[in-house]
Amino acid sequence: MKSIKNKIRKPFLILLILIPLATLILFNISLRIYIDATAKNELKATIHAVEKVIKSELETSGGKPSEKEALGIARNILSALKSSHFSQGMDFYLIAEDSTPVFPSKSKLTASQTAFLNVIDPKIDQMKERTVYTIPVNGKKYLTIAYTMNSEDLSNLIAVFALPTDQINKYLDAVNRILIVIMLLGIIIAIYLSGRIATHITNPISKLSSLSLQIGQGDFDTSHLTIPQDTLEFKQLYENMSLMVGRLEAYDRNQKTFLQNASHELRTPLMSIQGYAEGIESGIFPDTKEAAQIIKQESIRLNELVSELLTLSRYESGTYKPQWEEVNLCHQLKDYIQRLMGLATKSNINLKLNLPDYEVIVQIDDMLLSQTVMNLVSNCLRYAKKEVTISLEKKEEANILRISDDGDGIPESDIPFIFDRFYKGKNGNFGLGLAIAKSTAELLNAKIIAYNQEQGAVFEILF
């Protein structure tokens, strides 16, 4: 399995090697084509310059030149070649009809020149005039062009111009060496830069990996976490990671508190049941009916606590999937009030329902909404003096369901915590009712808030 560092460096290096290599090959091909074309054009231009020289020389000599004058003309042609871009390596020959070299004379030919003339001798008759040919001789290549001087004064001599490609090859070799050095320097720099870039990317990831392992082991200390400021994505990732750690730490702390509180709440009725059961068993209570009554009450209380714990766990675990349906909220609230009427009558509290004169159609899960309303109304019934009011109104795009009582209100110090699990105010039951109301409201994509009015407490559900 490859590391991120290698996955970054490998394609990076491949590109930085292949691209310069491909560029070098294409450059060589293009430069070779360009230089060959330029050399051929130069040779053709040379023919034109030679024609001018010959014409000028013939006019000066005033007729057919002597052998000495012909050699002088050849030397003047060589002088004219000095203006050529390739004059330093260019050879010039005057060849008679019988293939005998007139200039330079046979005695003055070098071995390479003799070899060249021997190769082109059988080919001269087939060579088209003013056409450049590439002639290989002993491993060397010559760009060659032949020109027949169809002048009676020059005895139909054939002028041959040969440009060896040695100079061109040397030039290309020099360019290639420079390019290869540049390419090698580029590869070295690329290796260094790719390593730096890969390290810059992998270091924060390695730190986050270590942090995730630390979190998995239950250590939420992020004081050593340094948020990078030079890369936006890493900065956001680190900030989100820090936020996640904070939430996990809070969740872990809440879970521990929840278990402690649940253990305490469960232990109280269980100890009571156990104590009375042992008392009955040992004959301490002569009147077992009263002891059995207490055991029954504690069992009912224990059953209610377990039921609420299971309900809260189901909603907070994310396993409950809301069943959405479109309903008239006014009709639903009338149904909920009808169910709560018995509890209100038992508590000697009046339930008042204020509904708008128009329909309020919403998408809800009936079970979740009824659980929310029932728990809030039950809480208000516990603290109300005479009346609990349920009202519905619509403001702009929000529906507001308001449940209020006429009691003494919620102590200001309790308001931030009343929706926490097992947080019980004065006369509270298990401290789970409002926590369940908050969870069900959140599943409805609603927001629940609590505050005090002039007389009593108010709970609002906004959705």
Side-chain angles (χ1 to χ4, degrees):
M1 185 177 293
K2 295 180 181 178
S3 65
I4 293 178
K5 192 170 184 177
N6 287 333
K7 284 189 175 182
I8 293 172
R9 292 181 66 177
K10 187 175 180 180
F12 192 67
L13 289 175
I14 289 173
L15 284 175
L16 286 173
I17 292 172
L18 290 181
I19 291 176
L21 187 61
T23 303
L24 181 64
I25 294 171
L26 291 174
F27 178 80
N28 270 271
I29 294 172
S30 302
L31 188 62
R32 169 70 70 177
I33 293 171
Y34 171 76
I35 292 177
D36 285 352
T38 303
K40 289 175 182 179
N41 290 334
E42 185 67 27
L43 284 172
K44 291 177 181 179
T46 300
I47 295 295
H48 184 65
V50 168
E51 286 177 338
K52 287 184 177 181
V53 171
I54 292 172
K55 184 177 180 181
S56 175
E57 292 293 335
L58 289 176
E59 289 176 353
T60 302
S61 63
K64 183 175 181 180
S66 62
E67 182 179 347
K68 183 178 180 180
E69 288 174 334
L71 292 175
I73 291 173
R75 292 188 185 93
N76 289 336
I77 291 173
L78 280 177
S79 297
L81 293 178
K82 297 296 182 181
S83 61
S84 169
H85 297 304
F86 301 98
S87 60
Q88 291 182 353
M90 185 180 293
D91 290 329
F92 169 66
Y93 305 92
L94 282 177
I95 301 175
E97 287 182 327
D98 59 356
S99 300
T100 303
V102 176
F103 181 85
S105 61
K106 195 169 185 179
S107 60
K108 294 182 178 181
L109 290 173
T110 65
S112 61
Q113 289 175 327
T114 302
F116 173 77
L117 291 175
N118 290 336
V119 170
I120 67 164
D121 181 42
K123 298 181 180 180
I124 283 183
D125 293 338
Q126 288 81 33
M127 293 172 67
K128 295 181 181 179
E129 291 196 3
R130 303 177 188 272
T131 301
V132 180
Y133 293 89
T134 301
I135 307 296
V137 179
N138 296 334
K140 293 176 63 175
K141 291 183 179 180
Y142 293 82
L143 296 177
T144 306
I145 189 168
Y147 171 65
T148 302
M149 299 186 198
N150 294 319
S151 170
E152 295 179 359
D153 300 320
L154 294 178
S155 304
N156 293 323
L157 296 176
I158 298 174
V160 177
F161 302 86
L163 177 65
T165 59
D166 290 357
Q167 295 295 328
I168 297 174
N169 291 334
K170 288 179 181 178
Y171 174 74
L172 287 175
D173 289 343
V175 171
N176 283 333
R177 282 193 293 271
I178 294 171
L179 290 176
I180 289 171
V181 169
I182 294 173
M183 187 174 72
L184 291 175
L185 287 175
I187 291 172
I188 293 171
I189 293 171
I191 292 172
Y192 172 75
L193 290 179
S194 64
R196 289 290 301 273
I197 293 171
T199 301
H200 185 73
I201 293 173
T202 54
N203 276 353
I205 296 175
S206 297
K207 290 179 181 178
L208 286 177
S209 178
S210 300
L211 179 63
S212 63
L213 180 62
Q214 171 190 319
I215 294 169
Q217 294 171 346
D219 182 3
F220 300 103
D221 180 20
T222 58
S223 58
H224 61 282
L225 184 64
T226 303
I227 298 177
Q229 301 296 326
D230 57 342
T231 307
L232 177 61
E233 290 77 10
F234 280 134
K235 184 174 182 292
Q236 292 175 340
L237 179 60
Y238 270 63
E239 288 175 347
N240 292 337
M241 195 79 170
S242 299
L243 183 62
M244 182 196 72
V245 171
R247 289 180 176 175
L248 284 174
E249 185 177 14
Y251 179 78
D252 184 69
R253 186 169 55 249
N254 289 338
Q255 287 296 98
K256 290 176 181 177
T257 303
F258 173 77
L259 290 173
Q260 291 172 357
N261 291 336
S263 299
H264 175 74
E265 293 293 336
L266 290 169
R267 187 183 295 114
T268 302
L270 285 173
M271 288 179 66
S272 179
I273 292 171
Q274 181 182 355
Y276 278 95
E278 289 175 351
I280 293 173
E281 183 183 31
S282 61
I284 296 176
F285 301 112
D287 185 3
T288 57
K289 184 175 182 181
E290 182 180 354
Q293 187 67 28
I294 294 174
I295 291 174
K296 178 182 177 182
Q297 291 172 354
E298 290 298 315
S299 298
I300 293 172
R301 184 171 181 270
L302 183 61
N303 185 60
E304 290 175 354
L305 175 59
V306 172
S307 178
E308 290 198 359
L309 283 172
L310 290 174
T311 300
L312 183 62
S313 175
R314 184 161 64 108
Y315 291 145
E316 290 191 344
S317 65
T319 57
Y320 182 83
K321 302 299 180 185
Q323 303 296 316
W324 302 103
E325 57 180 325
E326 190 174 90
V327 299
N328 186 336
L329 193 53
C330 297
H331 294 167
Q332 292 298 113
L333 289 176
K334 290 177 182 177
D335 180 55
Y336 300 157
I337 296 302
Q338 191 67 34
R339 295 187 219 169
L340 289 163
M341 196 60 72
L343 182 60
T345 302
K346 182 180 178 181
S347 302
N348 199 25
I349 302 296
N350 179 45
L351 276 180
K352 184 180 178 182
L353 181 61
N354 295 328
L355 298 175
D357 55 1
Y358 51 84
E359 293 185 345
V360 179
I361 307 300
V362 293
Q363 289 278 348
I364 63 162
D365 179 296
D366 180 57
M367 179 179 291
L368 292 176
L369 184 60
S370 65
Q371 188 90 58
T372 307
V373 173
M374 298 283 188
N375 283 21
L376 293 177
V377 172
S378 297
N379 187 83
C380 287
L381 288 173
R382 189 177 297 116
Y383 297 99
K385 294 178 179 178
K386 294 182 180 180
E387 188 175 75
V388 173
T389 303
I390 299 98
S391 60
L392 178 65
E393 63 176 312
K394 188 170 185 177
K395 285 187 178 180
E396 297 179 353
E397 297 299 322
N399 296 305
I400 301 175
L401 177 58
R402 187 177 294 109
I403 302 170
S404 59
D405 61 59
D406 59 354
D408 296 327
I410 307 168
E412 292 298 327
S413 60
D414 288 347
I415 289 178
F417 310 105
I418 60 173
F419 294 108
D420 293 348
R421 291 171 294 185
F422 293 108
Y423 189 85
K424 292 187 290 187
K426 184 181 178 182
N427 299 325
N429 193 4
F430 301 123
L432 294 175
L434 293 182
I436 292 173
K438 181 185 178 183
S439 296
T440 52
E442 289 175 348
L443 287 171
L444 286 168
N445 299 320
K447 181 181 179 182
I448 185 169
I449 58 174
Y451 59 91
N452 289 319
Q453 58 184 354
E454 186 176 346
Q455 180 66 42
V458 181
F459 295 91
E460 283 187 358
I461 306 171
L462 295 86
F463 54 93

